[in-house]
Amino acid sequence: MSEQTENQIVYTIHSSIAASQRQDYQSIQERMNHAAQAFSGYLGQDVVYEESDTGPAVKVTTHVRFKELEQCLRWLDSPQRRELLNQAEKLISYHYRFRLDSNSFDQWIQAKGPSQKPIWKVNLLVWLALYPSVMLLMWLSGPTLGNLPMPLNMLISNLITVLLTGYLLVPWLSRIYANWLSTTSRRWTLAGCTTILVAQGLLLTLFSTVPGLPWKTPEL
């Protein structure tokens, strides 16, 4: 099935199987494809088999395509898929590694047309998501992460912040600012930038003045 590369998530699975297991593996992939068709946004999959240069094993690359990231994640985490994977492990004892074909936060903000979103706009949304995430994490994790050595504290805090912004806040903001991301109008571009700056100003005021927060700041 031929699909445009824009507006879709491509989930790539790399597998290595014995040549004698190829038929069973193909059967599992057909079941996967059939089960995934019941999930919203599924665009299909293609499977490529390649003979290995280092032995009798066969390298398999599977591309699973969905319209939206959330739809793809629902399929990946579904009981139906887990059951099929359990069957595959029992049938052919195969193990696989995978990757999501995406780069940084651009994957979360899929274009609704052929044009690419300006990177500076994407960065503004990431900034808007990061600031409250970092500040709230500092507040909520004070009694726990705050007791760790600073290098370890920062390592864990950065991981939590990236997951929070990448999986929740940036996708949410991208939906709110979808028209702004696509517009070429200077007027609406300026209006969107203004709302982001105003939001950051309000957050700054909140974090600077609300009593009980674990930092002291001069009065604004």
Side-chain angles (χ1 to χ4, degrees), residues 170-187:
V170 172
W172 176 62
L173 289 172
S174 71
R175 289 190 290 269
I176 293 176
Y177 282 89
N179 293 333
W180 175 74
L181 286 167
S182 302
T183 186
T184 57
S185 167
R186 290 186 179 181
R187 176 183 177 185

Side-chain angles (χ1 to χ4, degrees), residues 70 105 108-109 122 124-137 160-177 181 200 203 207:
E70 291 81 0
F105 288 99
W108 309 119
I109 305 176
V122 175
L124 277 181
L125 293 188
V126 175
W127 177 50
L128 181 58
L130 277 175
Y131 179 53
S133 301
V134 172
M135 297 299 286
L136 289 174
L137 182 61
I160 295 174
T161 303
V162 168
L163 293 175
L164 179 62
T165 55
Y167 283 96
L168 180 62
L169 295 181
V170 172
W172 176 62
L173 289 172
S174 71
R175 289 190 290 269
I176 293 176
Y177 282 89
L181 286 167
Q200 293 287 56
L203 288 169
F207 292 130

Side-chain angles (χ1 to χ4, degrees), residues 141-150 152-153:
S141 66
T144 53
L145 296 181
N147 295 323
L148 299 176
M150 180 57 68
L152 180 58
N153 184 332

Side-chain angles (χ1 to χ4, degrees), residues 8 21 27 35 66 101 103 134 136 155-156 179 193 210 220:
Q8 67 177 242
Q21 297 173 329
S27 176
F66 277 83
D101 287 347
N103 293 309
V134 172
L136 289 174
L155 178 67
I156 298 175
N179 293 333
C193 292
V210 171
L220 297 178

